[in-house]
Amino acid sequence: MNSQQPRHVEHQQTDKGYVPVYTTTVVAQPWADYTATDHDVWRQLYERQRALLVGRASDEFLVAQDAMGMTPDAIPKFDDLNEVLRAATGWELVGVEGLLPELTFFEHLANRRFPVTWWIRKPEQLDYLAEPDLFHDLFGHVPLLMNPVFADYMQAYGRGGVKAHGIGPEALVNLTRLYWYTVEFGLIQQNDGLRIYGSGIVSSKGESIYCLDSDAPNRIGFDLERIMRTRYRIDTYQKTYFVIDSFEQLMQATGPDFRPLYERLASQDSYAAGDVLDSDQVFHRGSGEGWSSDGDV
Ligand SMILES: [Fe+2]
């Protein structure tokens, strides 16, 4: 097998669009097979994002990324990062071919394993890729696993996912929104202003600027139940970002059993991605400029 080709197993049409499904086993990172072009894509993306993220990403993110020993020089070896990560928080990276089925993904997180896609995008895809690749997973997700509180939150999320999977599809929809609006697209309030911690943002040049600088999106205080009722966008920048005041706030929110919450939410309508409610703590009310009226999921 040519290890430069991720092994697609099948594709499935879902309510979130066309979703590729890959071989679901853990695979060794074929580090020796990365080409000079692959390393150069990593370098370009790394340098561009780090320059942009100083003053935009949360302090925790930047400190953690440096502490891991990630550099632009070459695609890091998972084995090297794992030595640092295991010592810091007991997490480890495992190589995968791409997106995993939900339950498999949750089980990895519940056991403090973070699946990282081993392949990296092509040079012509620097600005956008529809699915996670190595840059999104490694640059975006992995650094905060060095933070003890965030690391515990990710495990709690995985355990919650295993539970929700057993409860049913509606519970999973609610829980997935929490992941989307925190792990992927979360903002945090620091003493010196709003900062980014979501992986979907830090791995995107355009959204790293838009989420903080644009008047268009809402910026609203974190509220667990509100988030679980809120649809989101997978094809455009977010209409709403939710702002936490600390990672402890996230961890505390996941403390209680979500089952009564799922039961309550089952009888309630969801909110559109761009809605602002009277009960919201509004940091910024979006102008809505450029929003399309449909396409929430
Ligand atoms: Fe992600």
Side-chain angles (χ1 to χ4, degrees):
M1 187 198 72
N2 177 357
S3 61
Q4 284 301 310
Q5 296 297 322
R7 287 170 292 177
H8 286 78
V9 174
E10 58 181 310
H11 288 74
Q12 55 186 10
Q13 186 67 36
T14 72
D15 59 351
K16 291 175 193 165
Y18 193 56
V19 174
V21 175
Y22 296 95
T23 305
T24 56
T25 51
V26 165
V27 295
Q29 181 190 24
W31 196 87
D33 294 340
Y34 289 129
T35 63
T37 305
D38 292 333
H39 288 295
D40 198 52
V41 166
W42 170 264
R43 182 190 57 75
Q44 284 189 60
L45 286 169
Y46 192 107
E47 288 178 346
R48 187 173 84 173
Q49 282 309 104
R50 276 297 295 224
L52 183 61
L53 289 173
V54 174
R56 291 179 179 275
S58 71
D59 292 344
E60 283 101 335
F61 177 88
L62 296 170
V63 166
Q65 196 167 52
D66 289 340
M68 289 207 82
M70 278 193 205
T71 72
D73 305 342
I75 293 172
K77 292 180 179 170
F78 296 171
D79 288 347
D80 292 345
L81 299 178
N82 274 340
E83 281 184 32
V84 183
L85 198 51
R86 275 195 209 103
T89 58
W91 274 77
E92 66 174 343
L93 314 182
V94 291
V96 291
E97 304 278 2
L99 285 173
L100 295 172
E102 278 168 325
L103 184 57
T104 310
F105 178 65
F106 293 143
E107 284 171 342
H108 279 303
L109 297 187
N111 289 287
R112 290 174 104 83
R113 294 188 300 264
F114 193 81
V116 175
T117 304
W118 65 260
W119 54 269
I120 195 160
R121 67 192 73 185
K122 305 284 177 228
E124 60 273 20
Q125 297 170 312
L126 290 193
D127 289 318
Y128 183 72
L129 192 64
E131 57 182 306
D133 71 334
L134 179 128
F135 185 73
H136 170 81
D137 286 342
L138 197 52
F139 183 97
H141 280 284
V142 170
L144 280 179
L145 296 174
M146 292 282 285
N147 179 287
V149 181
F150 194 85
D152 285 350
Y153 172 65
M154 289 293 280
Q155 181 176 31
Y157 180 84
R159 287 173 171 161
V162 172
K163 249 199 231 173
H165 195 270
I167 295 172
E170 288 186 352
L172 267 183
V173 167
N174 296 144
L175 191 70
T176 300
R177 289 175 183 152
L178 176 64
Y179 190 86
W180 191 264
Y181 280 120
T182 61
V183 177
E184 293 288 357
F185 292 96
L187 299 180
I188 185 167
Q189 179 156 47
Q190 288 187 184
N191 291 337
D192 50 357
L194 295 188
R195 294 289 185 271
I196 304 161
Y197 72 92
S199 318
I201 309 177
V202 295
S203 57
S204 159
K205 179 187 176 189
E207 196 147 7
S208 292
I209 297 168
Y210 172 89
C211 72
L212 294 177
D213 293 2
S214 172
D215 283 338
N218 303 312
R219 299 180 191 92
I220 291 172
F222 174 87
D223 177 322
L224 177 70
E225 189 161 343
R226 159 78 159 99
I227 287 174
M228 285 191 172
R229 285 182 72 175
T230 307
R231 302 192 300 273
Y232 56 85
R233 310 288 304 189
I234 57 168
D235 58 341
T236 64
Y237 297 154
Q238 299 307 302
K239 292 180 175 179
T240 299
Y241 298 93
F242 288 93
V243 181
I244 59 171
D245 54 37
S246 65
F247 293 136
E248 281 80 5
Q249 184 184 22
L250 280 184
M251 195 57 217
Q252 280 163 12
T254 56
D257 181 9
F258 287 165
R259 192 180 285 267
L261 186 52
Y262 295 142
E263 284 170 5
R264 189 159 66 242
L265 290 170
S267 63
Q268 295 171 336
D269 291 335
S270 59
Y271 299 121
D275 282 355
V276 177
L277 314 179
D278 290 343
S279 53
D280 285 337
Q281 178 198 0
V282 179
F283 288 82
H284 172 79
R285 181 181 288 263
S287 68
E289 190 188 344
W291 286 358
S292 59
S293 56
D294 56 4
D296 288 5
V297 298

